[in-house]
Amino acid sequence: MTVHWIAETLRGSPELAIFLTLAIGFWVGSLKFGSFSLGAVTGTLLAGVLVGQLDIAISPQVKSVFFIMFLFAVGFGVGPQFVRGIANDGLPQAIFAVIISFLCLGCVYVAAIASGYGPGMAEGLLAGSQTISASIGLATDAINRSGLSAEHTQAELNAIPVAYAVTYLFGTVGTGWILAFLGPKLLRINLAQECERYERDMNIRPMDGGANTAWHSYIVRAYKLKTAGLIAGKTVEDAENSQKTRIFLENLRRDGKIIPFDNTTLLHEGDIVAVSGPHEALVYWSNHAEEVADQELIEIPVETVDIVVTSKKLNGQRLIDLSTAPYARGIYINAIRRGSMNVDIPVLSQTAINRGDIINITGTRRHVADVIKNVGYADRPTNVTSMVLVGGGIFVGGLLGSLVLPIGGVPITLSSSGGALIAGLILGWLRGVTPKLGNVPSASVWFMNTVGLNIFIAVVGISAGPTFIKGLEQAGVSVFFWGVFASALPMLVAPLIGKYIFRFDPAINLGCCGGARTSTASVAMVADVAKSNVPMLGYTVPYAVSNTLLTMWGLVIVLLLS
């Protein structure tokens, strides 16, 4: 009786079925099997198929609304890296991503032709084997516009989640295993040693003895200068440069009073100075001055803040060069994040900063204000999303994407969803240049990206539920092996293309490959084997380019097979 009542309630209130599917899907997706998990998308699809056995009808407009929101968020997140990859020194990585994306599409097309799959099964194969769930929405739009009969259209749409579910598992696990374990063998390298070598190279200082990058992990101590000729007797600038590590005088007490100072101020015996720097660097001061308790002197207003880099002058600049800039004084970098996936970039002396990077810094408020003025804008926590930017961007992009261009008698259109993706790319890049354009907090981007996609997938699964088992029986096991083919071949060839054609550094080659397949899980496995985040340096530009192209392939594969 209770089960019957729940089933009838879900049929009468399909919105409850969606939230039930999300709850089950996210829970199943989070379960760990060793180091592997299904992920929220696959978990939600399987949960949707299960709930869909109750024959629940949901308006297709629901999934359209959330999918177009998801695509806008995808474009908004990767916009800065996408534009940089096309326009700047990321061009080789961007071209590499284009080649691998076409290779992925080619493998799926060959598999579809060889097996006689229609556009629905081929799209499911594409989405699962390449783990690009976003392509399903564009393919759905294309199939609906293809002019097929209503019955044929529904059959093709129902085939998508079947092929997706069967091929996704190897698409995720297989890609990670190939890159993390076969990749180093294909390249004939020891990945961990290559990353250690790369980090050593990235931390090499110029021959003229320029500043090193002890940017982070600092403390503040107070010292009384007692010995003439060591620190006392030097200017503030000379005292700060007495070591190779970044240290700074933050406060100065003389004759009992805290006084202002600049780089030319001469330090005297008896002065008490507040010094910030790494713990090991302050040992030098302990050997030449007496550490004292002066709470007032070291109580300096300090803040930690995320700064989004927007300065065109800083694009491509390395940390070792920036360390000498006047506004870098007293600033310590905790982390650098890049791209919509917030990939952690190693903080090394030769690390290059890109526009759109998010740098988490710590320093006094005065020093932080100088950095903000010269580098970008402070991305402080906020709950407010600019719905003018989001709503207007989706509307204009969707409107333009809906335009139909007949080519050779075939109506070609990006659809409103594809237009929203392009609008997100443009606005994401523009906001990296003009912060006043509008604010979209990271939590809002996460919601639109993750929840938007998973609601779409939930509706797909629920709608396909009644015919899923039948479709799986008709597809047979062959779709799994075609999925292995479409997943494995591009990733077996990609490292060799990166090595012999693009000459990528061995330490970042596999990161480029994972980015070109938009497989965050695989790059995480590569980083685990490498015992380093260095491979992530090759991930962001290929990811931004391929995330856009592989999503668009959902439209292309339908056009090729219709």
Side-chain angles (χ1 to χ4, degrees), residues 177-198:
W177 185 81
I178 289 170
L179 291 182
F181 298 101
L182 289 185
K185 292 180 172 60
L186 290 171
L187 297 175
R188 298 181 181 179
I189 61 170
N190 182 305
L191 186 58
Q193 291 179 2
E194 289 293 341
C195 288
E196 289 177 3
R197 184 268 310 161
Y198 192 89

Side-chain angles (χ1 to χ4, degrees), residues 21-22 24-30 37-47 164 168 446 450 453-454 457:
T21 299
L22 288 178
I24 296 174
F26 273 75
W27 175 69
V28 171
S30 66
S37 63
L38 286 174
V41 174
T42 305
T44 299
L45 176 65
L46 296 177
Y164 175 86
Y168 179 85
W446 178 89
T450 304
L453 174 61
N454 280 283
I457 292 296

Side-chain angles (χ1 to χ4, degrees), residues 196-218:
E196 289 177 3
R197 184 268 310 161
Y198 192 89
E199 290 186 6
R200 287 196 302 271
D201 292 347
M202 292 281 279
N203 263 331
I204 290 177
R205 292 180 287 110
M207 295 302 292
D208 60 3
N212 201 351
T213 56
W215 284 90
H216 41 214
S217 182
Y218 82 103

Side-chain angles (χ1 to χ4, degrees), residues 218-242:
Y218 82 103
I219 55 176
V220 180
R221 294 287 186 268
Y223 297 96
K224 184 174 184 179
L225 307 182
K226 301 183 67 174
T227 306
L230 293 175
I231 299 172
K234 294 182 177 180
T235 64
V236 169
E237 183 175 14
D238 290 339
E240 290 179 341
N241 293 332
S242 59

Side-chain angles (χ1 to χ4, degrees), residues 293-369:
D294 193 329
Q295 194 66 28
E296 182 186 11
L297 195 68
I298 64 175
E299 280 185 348
I300 306 164
V302 172
E303 66 175 327
T304 297
V305 66
D306 285 339
I307 295 181
V308 180
V309 179
T310 61
S311 172
K312 189 174 182 179
K313 295 180 181 178
L314 296 186
N315 192 45
Q317 293 291 312
R318 302 188 184 277
L319 290 184
I320 195 167
D321 301 319
L322 297 181
S323 67
T324 60
Y327 55 81
R329 186 181 184 281
I331 292 298
Y332 300 87
I333 294 181
N334 305 309
I336 301 174
R337 302 193 304 277
R338 182 171 295 166
S340 63
M341 303 303 292
N342 280 330
V343 173
D344 285 322
I345 300 299
V347 182
L348 303 170
S349 66
Q350 300 296 325
T351 296
I353 298 297
N354 299 332
R355 291 174 82 181
D357 283 354
I358 299 175
I359 306 178
N360 182 265
I361 66 169
T362 298
T364 65
R365 290 178 182 172
R366 176 170 58 86
H367 292 152
V368 167

